[in-house]
Amino acid sequence: MKGKRIIRSRIMVAATMGVTVLAVAACGMMAMMGTGAEPPAAEEFGLGPRHSAQGAYVAQIQPAAPLAVRKMQSVNIRITDAQGVPVDGAAITVDGRMPQHGHGLPTRPRVTRAHGNGVYQIDGLRFNMGGWWEFRLVIAGQAGADSVTFNLDL
Amino acid sequence: MKTTRVLPVLSVVVLASVAGAAAAWDRGWTDEEMETIRSLWIGELGPLPEDPTNRFATDARAAELGKRLFFDTRLSSNGAVACATCHDPERAFQDGIALARGVGTTDRRTMPIAGTARSPFLFWDGRKDSQWAQALGPLESPVEHGGDRTRYAHVVARAYRAEYEALFGSMPTLDAAPASAGPVADPVARAAWDAMDAVRRDEVTQVFVNLGKAIAAYERTVDHEPSRFDRYAEGLMRDGRTPEHVLSEDEEAGLALFIGKGQCTNCHNGPQFTNNEFHNTGVPAAPGLPNDVGRFAGAERVLTDEFNCRSRWSDARPEQCSELEFLATGGHELERAFKVPSLREVADRAPYMHAGQIATMEDVVDHYSRAPQAPAGHTELRPLRLSAREKAQLVAFLRALSGEGKE
């Protein structure tokens, strides 16, 4: 998945910048967990606002209630372009994955309504485990197609 | 952060072993562990979710009728099989054998009933999306109850007419209905069903559906019961320190492993000790049985099920069927993914897994520690490399999940 590659490349950049302690710690954790994926730094977690991979959009998750495990839930997302102008009329797909467990969401959430002012409603979202989730939106709007990956700690 | 919690838990285990001889045992749970323990506590269950598909779900008369139907062996082809034959209330509503035996032998392990009103999908593969739709499956299975719709409608008309009509309105006239007919595997009963007028078939199916809804109203009353673990968790929440003489040191250590190194709460989370989802954990194939792809097939089947939430027999409005609307189908992840069972009363429910492949809890814990390759699809497990002592502690903890009257 693209989001995972982004995170790995960030770790590589950090290592080449001389932050070897971080890399050694990450390798140690990898060996212990027995999986190839490690969560990014704490500041990479959260609901945004977060830039898309190519910088075309900025997205923010606006849940009506705190995100929770085992519940079917609905969240709004707000999307602007790089200048902060709300993006309406975009086609958005939703995906979620647990890099450490090799599985995705147990449901197929999707955008069900566009509320205007760059706000879209996603329904059918459920997480089946606590831990690190990558929550990914692919946004196709006037500024082209781009994706944004959130790191969520459920 | 939760994903990097393994080290602190390990150090707690190590410290605990060192301090084990201290007189006043206090485990010293971290805030995060306390939070996880609370999330498993029965007090977090909350009220039963509504069942919009069954407008009789909370009707006490329906539950009373359903209870009688649940134990009635006339609802079978040989007059010897009731729901309770496999779902024995004396044995946590299961039968203690690997493959369920009705009029024949099935390919799957009997599942318990407690708390099923809280699960969006039923059966090991989740091919049903309500308790009543689930209850109708075994009734038409050639190896479970072995009967058919007109047979059951005749039983209701003969034995339960007054109770039925008080709830559901007048019984249809069954004078012209064959003694045995239904959309079942038996070719004679199937042919008799195909020969029936469509209106008469619908009348019989409505009786069949109502029978299922009554049984579901009874099953809805079967919920989880507090265990010794819950007493421990409750004391911990109340006093902020480890209650004495509720869990042994080994059981407490098992709890620490359960929520820590053992990673059990990845799937067995929340107060039901299950996320009610489907996962491939590399459970070996059952010898002699056909290939079982689990949820991969179950997800497709529930979408087209005659009695699903969107069906004409459901009382739900289409917009209330969000589980079907956002259902995940297809994909490699669903292959040999099976329902995560609740671990409440697990010690009373050997043998384990969807076809009873694993005989004891010790062997189950060993399976999760070894994490073998899946016979098909991909296991989500990674080896835990638990020591013999850790495995024994986990099993000790699992035994504390039974109702206190049953230990």
Side-chain angles (χ1 to χ4, degrees):
Chain A
M1 183 169 166
K2 195 168 183 181
K4 199 159 86 184
R5 285 203 299 274
I6 294 164
I7 287 160
R8 277 185 182 159
S9 66
R10 192 181 303 116
I11 290 172
M12 290 306 293
V13 169
T16 53
M17 283 168 67
V19 193
T20 46
V21 174
L22 176 69
V24 168
C27 291
M29 286 301 291
M30 266 182 219
M32 198 177 70
M33 302 288 290
T35 66
E38 275 313 304
E43 60 266 25
E44 299 292 338
F45 279 77
L47 305 175
R50 199 163 170 84
H51 288 275
S52 57
Q54 309 299 322
Y57 303 105
V58 177
Q60 185 167 17
I61 305 173
Q62 301 174 325
L67 295 176
V69 178
R70 296 186 304 280
K71 284 186 181 136
M72 193 72 104
Q73 52 214 310
S74 172
V75 297
N76 283 351
I77 50 167
R78 182 159 193 271
I79 297 171
T80 67
D81 64 18
Q83 285 72 46
V85 179
V87 172
D88 287 315
I92 299 164
T93 58
V94 184
D95 190 16
R97 225 172 149 72
M98 290 197 93
Q100 292 173 308
H101 296 282
H103 66 73
L105 292 164
T107 56
R108 294 278 158 78
R110 65 172 187 275
V111 172
T112 53
R113 290 179 70 185
H115 291 287
N117 196 31
V119 176
Y120 301 80
Q121 181 173 326
I122 294 170
D123 280 307
L125 176 62
R126 186 165 62 217
F127 301 96
N128 52 8
M129 278 187 193
W132 170 36
W133 282 87
E134 287 180 345
F135 182 73
R136 184 170 183 250
L137 306 173
V138 177
I139 303 161
Q142 287 186 344
D146 205 350
S147 70
V148 55
T149 302
F150 294 87
N151 294 290
L152 304 176
D153 185 21
L154 267 295
Chain B
M1 204 180 70
K2 286 175 190 172
T3 42
T4 54
R5 280 173 44 221
V6 179
L7 270 175
V9 173
L10 274 175
S11 36
V12 167
V13 172
V14 171
L15 284 175
S17 323
V18 173
W25 175 258
D26 191 348
R27 182 143 202 113
W29 298 105
T30 66
D31 288 349
E32 190 162 354
E33 287 171 328
M34 291 273 277
E35 188 189 315
T36 306
I37 291 170
R38 173 189 281 278
S39 73
L40 295 166
W41 173 48
I42 198 165
E44 293 287 302
L45 269 180
L48 291 172
E50 287 182 17
D51 180 358
T53 69
N54 179 5
R55 62 194 172 93
F56 305 97
T58 58
D59 188 315
R61 295 171 305 163
E64 181 56 36
L65 172 60
K67 184 174 184 179
R68 291 170 62 195
L69 293 166
F70 190 87
F71 290 91
D72 195 331
T73 56
R74 287 172 294 191
L75 298 176
S76 64
S77 59
N78 64 0
V81 177
C83 304
T85 303
C86 296
H87 301 285
D88 180 357
E90 299 300 313
R91 308 188 67 167
F93 287 90
Q94 55 86 55
D95 49 10
I97 54 177
L99 300 177
R101 281 199 288 268
V103 301
T105 302
T106 74
D107 289 353
R108 295 254 178 86
R109 175 81 173 93
T110 298
M111 301 189 85
I113 287 174
T116 48
R118 301 175 181 278
S119 179
F121 297 104
L122 286 305
F123 284 127
W124 287 104
D125 56 10
R127 65 185 182 273
K128 295 286 186 172
D129 64 351
S130 70
Q131 284 181 304
W132 65 269
Q134 186 282 326
L136 297 180
L139 287 166
E140 293 195 309
S141 157
V143 290
E144 296 180 63
H145 295 250
D148 51 72
R149 290 178 197 184
T150 63
R151 172 189 292 268
Y152 301 141
H154 285 298
V155 171
V156 172
R158 276 198 311 272
Y160 298 101
R161 180 179 288 274
E163 300 89 326
Y164 179 95
E165 293 191 335
L167 274 165
F168 303 111
S170 57
M171 280 287 292
T173 306
L174 297 172
D175 297 346
S180 186
V184 291
D186 176 64
V188 178
R190 159 74 71 168
W193 181 253
D194 290 343
M196 282 173 71
D197 176 80
V199 174
R200 301 281 94 78
R201 283 204 302 248
D202 280 355
E203 288 174 351
V204 169
T205 297
Q206 184 65 67
V207 175
F208 185 55
V209 164
N210 289 340
L211 187 153
K213 289 181 178 176
I215 292 172
Y218 165 60
E219 291 182 336
R220 193 176 163 84
T221 66
V222 181
D223 205 2
H224 299 293
E225 310 229 348
S227 66
R228 204 147 44 80
F229 160 74
D230 296 302
R231 191 147 56 87
Y232 178 88
E234 199 172 342
L236 195 60
M237 304 304 146
R238 189 185 52 232
D239 306 333
R241 60 184 171 81
T242 307
E244 287 179 43
H245 312 303
V246 180
L247 295 185
S248 70
E249 289 180 25
D250 270 351
E251 289 166 345
E252 272 191 324
L255 170 57
L257 289 163
F258 189 86
I259 66 176
K261 180 182 177 182
Q263 302 178 31
C264 310
T265 47
N266 281 349
C267 295
H268 296 284
N269 54 40
Q272 288 194 277
F273 284 78
T274 173
N275 59 5
N276 281 317
E277 301 285 354
F278 303 85
H279 295 275
N280 182 334
T281 57
V283 174
L289 292 183
N291 181 37
D292 192 336
V293 293
R295 184 59 171 162
F296 188 87
E300 296 290 345
R301 286 181 69 178
V302 73
L303 266 186
T304 55
D305 182 58
E306 179 186 6
F307 300 120
N308 74 16
C309 180
R310 288 176 184 157
S311 72
R312 55 195 285 222
W313 308 107
S314 159
D315 299 315
R317 299 187 305 275
E319 65 268 25
Q320 293 176 299
C321 301
S322 58
E323 293 292 345
L324 293 180
E325 188 178 353
F326 300 105
L327 182 77
T329 57
H332 197 52
E333 278 175 31
L334 301 188
E335 190 177 358
R336 274 189 82 78
F338 293 94
K339 177 79 183 284
V340 177
S342 170
L343 295 183
R344 291 189 170 274
E345 318 228 23
V346 67
D348 311 316
R349 290 207 310 268
Y352 301 101
M353 307 305 183
H354 62 271
Q357 295 100 313
I358 304 185
T360 66
M361 282 201 297
E362 286 78 3
D363 291 340
V364 172
V365 170
D366 188 61
H367 170 85
Y368 284 100
S369 182
R370 285 186 294 111
Q373 288 299 307
H378 276 298
T379 181
E380 293 177 28
L381 302 184
R382 300 287 179 277
L384 298 168
R385 298 188 179 88
L386 300 172
S387 69
R389 179 168 172 76
E390 287 173 327
K391 287 190 246 184
Q393 288 169 330
L394 261 179
V395 170
F397 170 67
L398 293 171
R399 290 191 194 285
L401 295 178
S402 289
E404 297 220 57
K406 292 171 189 159
E407 274 192 88

